[in-house]
């Protein structure tokens, strides 16, 4: 398989900006999902049940799903914009600095609730338990005067499953933009996720809570919603793909990591960014899946969250090797 970029792989521009909306055009607008992860490496999961456990140095990393998708898309050459609520606190400053250093355009809205955080417990195999601090589930909606100009200058929108993000669907549809989301560890039952599942064109989720219902949940997303493609990631077991018109998900084996697995944090976000890159550059859906698997495997070999991303040339090379 050739790894030389073709004309098809150059993102096409969205509609021109309207009056008063001058500025760069974006391939992807990422909405929601900024935060900071405190990573604690533990001897086992769950950690030993005693008063004190000696662990290696504890570090804070800019993390969470929206940050990972935005950084991953940017690293792959997609013009990316990110908008979210953060606190006027050291963690919000850390997020701003990380995104600025990477060159990702970020529109922060300050909330008194502070910046979202997680404590990630990571064992020696790279397996993770994340303790998520959902400190502001009732965050006010994003102001339309903030997101609407960004939406109109973007060709695709990726919504994190923040409650305020669901309120963008009507405007996304009115603007004729495609939209993706990641349902993470949805069990296929919790009603909170249903609007995201049924109003998105591309749906990603983890298979971890689906057990024997994986095929039923994936087909339900397609049958009840607008998704043309659903992908369920399964860690070391690869992933499952279902496209509209199919009734049985197809399985794709995992891509071998390019080093020892240190931390699985951020692997799903790297998968999402690479999969979007493939879709937005016109690649066949099977190739998009291989992009995602290669990016997710690479994310597992760096300690912490969102520590390393592949560029487009290296992603194509690894996906071609896997294919």
């Amino acid at each position: 398989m050739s790894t030389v970029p073709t004309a098809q792989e150059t993102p096409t521009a969205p509609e021109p900006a309207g009056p008063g909306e001058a500025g760069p055009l974006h391939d992807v607008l990422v909405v929601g999902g900024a935060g900071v992860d405190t990573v604690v490496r533990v001897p086992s999961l769950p950690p030993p049940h005693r008063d004190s456990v000696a662990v290696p140095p504890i570090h804070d990393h800019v993390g969470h799903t929206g940050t990972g998708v935005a950084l991953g898309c940017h690293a792959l050459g997609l013009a990316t914009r990110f908008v979210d609520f953060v606190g006027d606190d050291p963690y919000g400053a850390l997020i701003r600095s990380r995104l600025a250093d990477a060159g990702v355009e970020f529109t922060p809205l300050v909330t008194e609730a502070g910046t979202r955080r997680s404590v990630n417990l990571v064992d020696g195999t790279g397996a993770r338990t994340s303790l998520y601090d959902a400190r502001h589930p009732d965050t006010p909606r994003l102001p339309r005067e903030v997101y609407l100009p960004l939406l109109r200058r973007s060709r695709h929108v990726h919504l994190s499953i923040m409650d305020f993000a669901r309120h963008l669907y009507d405007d996304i549809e009115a603007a004729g933009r495609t939209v993706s989301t990641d349902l993470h560890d949805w069990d296929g039952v919790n009603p909170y996720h249903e609007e995201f599942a049924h109003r998105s064109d591309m749906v990603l989720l983890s298979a971890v809570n689906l057990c024997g219902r994986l095929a039923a949940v994936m087909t339900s997303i397609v049958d009840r919603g607008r998704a043309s493609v659903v992908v369920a990631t399964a860690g070391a077991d690869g992933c499952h793909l279902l496209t509209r018109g199919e009734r049985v998900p197809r399985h794709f084996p995992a891509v071998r990591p390019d080093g020892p697995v240190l931390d699985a944090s951020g692997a799903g976000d790297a998968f999402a960014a690479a999969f979007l890159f493939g879709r937005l550059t016109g690649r066949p859906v099977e190739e998009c899946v291989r992009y995602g698997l290669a990016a997710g495997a690479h994310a597992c070999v760096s300690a912490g969250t969102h520590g390393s991303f592949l560029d487009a040339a290296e992603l194509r090379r690894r996906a071609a090797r896997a294919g």
Side-chain angles (χ1 to χ4, degrees):
M1 181 182 298
S2 172
T3 60
V4 179
T6 67
Q8 235 182 342
E9 292 180 294
T10 302
T12 57
E15 296 176 6
E21 296 178 6
L25 302 179
H26 305 107
D27 297 309
V28 181
L29 171 64
V30 179
V31 179
V36 171
D37 292 336
T38 297
V39 177
V40 183
R41 305 197 72 86
V42 295
S44 61
L45 288 175
H49 184 65
R50 55 178 184 260
D51 182 67
S52 179
V53 178
V55 298
I58 297 170
H59 296 287
D60 291 328
H61 299 266
V62 173
H64 293 214
T65 182
T67 311
V69 174
L71 288 169
C73 287
H74 176 76
L76 290 167
L78 296 174
T80 306
R81 188 70 176 239
F82 186 22
V83 58
D84 195 13
F85 292 96
V86 296
D88 184 15
D89 51 33
Y91 300 104
L94 188 63
I95 292 170
R96 294 173 190 239
S97 175
R98 173 75 169 90
L99 293 170
D101 289 346
V104 175
E105 295 182 76
F106 182 44
T107 301
L109 290 88
V110 174
T111 172
E112 293 181 358
T115 303
R116 300 181 203 93
R117 297 185 59 195
S118 293
V119 175
N120 291 352
L121 307 180
V122 182
D123 72 8
T125 70
R128 177 198 70 167
T129 293
S130 181
L131 309 177
Y132 177 60
D133 170 10
R135 65 176 56 219
H136 40 88
D138 298 321
T139 299
R141 297 187 187 187
L142 283 174
R144 288 184 88 236
E145 63 269 22
V146 171
Y147 76 76
L148 202 53
L150 301 177
L151 167 60
R152 290 174 175 164
R153 295 203 303 268
S154 304
R155 56 189 295 249
H156 179 81
V157 183
H158 182 80
L159 295 182
S160 301
I161 53 172
M162 307 289 126
D163 187 62
F164 64 81
R166 72 175 73 247
H167 303 295
L168 275 67
Y169 274 110
D170 288 344
D171 285 320
I172 292 171
E173 292 175 11
R177 300 302 188 255
T178 54
V179 57
S180 57
T181 195
D182 188 340
L183 306 178
H184 299 283
D185 58 351
W186 187 39
D187 60 4
V189 177
N190 188 339
Y192 177 91
H193 301 71
E194 288 185 348
E195 185 169 17
F196 293 99
H198 301 148
R199 298 190 69 179
S200 298
D201 301 287
M202 290 173 266
V203 176
L204 296 94
L205 73 163
S206 168
V208 65
N209 284 334
L210 300 181
C211 302
R213 299 178 296 112
L214 184 143
V217 171
M218 293 180 73
T219 55
S220 175
I221 291 172
V222 172
D223 291 345
R224 298 178 59 191
R226 58 182 290 169
S228 61
V229 57
V230 180
V231 181
T233 56
D237 192 38
C239 71
H240 305 267
L241 168 71
L242 184 73
T243 60
R244 186 167 291 277
E246 296 178 324
R247 303 309 300 173
V248 179
R250 287 179 277 163
H251 176 256
F252 289 74
V255 170
R256 184 185 299 274
D258 51 314
V261 173
L262 299 178
D263 191 343
S265 302
D269 304 324
F271 183 107
F275 184 84
L276 284 177
F277 169 75
R279 295 292 281 176
L280 294 175
T281 53
R283 307 313 301 161
V285 68
E286 296 83 3
E287 189 171 344
C288 299
V289 169
R290 287 193 289 272
Y291 282 177
L293 291 168
H298 176 74
C300 293
V301 303
S302 62
T305 311
H306 311 324
S308 178
F309 294 92
L310 299 175
D311 61 23
E314 183 63 14
L315 180 70
R316 294 188 190 102
R317 187 186 72 80
R318 296 192 188 194
R321 183 176 65 191

